[in-house]
């Protein structure tokens, strides 16, 4: 939410994809908010929630192959390339992250604002 303008700037969250047997991390922002670290901050907070609060063992993330900024965010958070696939009719790359890898990348599962 852009508090100054009073409008939504995007969304993020976790989605259960039952047909693929996974919990998917998703994030998207209105273009004028790209490049400000907001997607990384949101994704990091959801990774923390998934592993610390919800005690999930694994997360996935689907990304369009040409979406290099999102791929970079996932890599920065410790996600690993798993495979290319057609998901929901779209050409996609599947990334995954297991809880132990998330701890190794962050040093802990503290929320992003608490990390130094």
């Amino acid at each position: 939410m852009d508090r100054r303008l009073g409008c939504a700037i995007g969304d993020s969250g976790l989605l259960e994809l039952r047909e693929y047997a996974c919990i998917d991390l998703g994030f998207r922002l209105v273009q004028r908010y790209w490049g400000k670290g907001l997607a990384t901050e949101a994704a990091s907070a959801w990774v923390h929630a998934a592993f610390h609060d919800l005690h999930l063992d694994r997360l996935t993330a689907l990304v369009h192959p040409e979406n290099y900024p999102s791929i970079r965010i996932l890599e920065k958070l410790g996600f690993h390339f798993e495979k290319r696939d057609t998901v929901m009719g779209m050409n996609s790359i599947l990334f995954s992250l297991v809880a132990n890898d998330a701890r190794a990348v962050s040093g802990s599962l503290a929320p992003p604002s608490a990390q130094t």
Side-chain angles (χ1 to χ4, degrees):
M1 173 70 81
D2 184 323
R3 291 185 181 112
R4 185 176 54 83
L5 299 176
C7 64
I9 63 170
D11 64 13
S12 63
L14 303 176
L15 178 65
E16 181 181 12
L17 299 176
R18 288 184 184 169
E19 63 188 276
Y20 299 100
C22 64
I23 305 294
D24 187 68
L25 167 67
F27 49 90
R28 61 184 173 185
L29 292 172
V30 173
Q31 189 170 0
R32 72 173 171 238
Y33 295 94
W34 292 1
K36 300 177 186 300
L38 298 171
T40 302
E41 184 177 343
S44 180
W46 280 112
V47 167
H48 169 78
F51 296 129
H52 183 267
D53 300 331
L54 301 174
H55 307 287
L56 299 177
D57 295 322
R58 180 176 181 266
L59 275 181
T60 62
L62 297 166
V63 64
H64 296 283
E66 67 280 356
N67 190 341
Y68 302 114
S70 289
I71 291 169
R72 177 67 188 119
I73 290 168
L74 294 172
E75 290 172 341
K76 191 185 314 184
L77 294 176
F79 281 77
H80 301 283
F81 171 88
E82 200 165 294
K83 65 180 177 178
R84 288 181 174 266
D85 203 352
T86 300
V87 179
M88 295 179 271
M90 295 179 286
N91 210 7
S92 302
I93 300 175
L94 175 68
F95 284 85
S96 64
L97 178 65
V98 295
N100 289 339
D101 289 346
R103 286 183 184 92
V105 168
S106 67
S108 73
L109 287 179
S113 60
Q115 295 179 9
T116 56

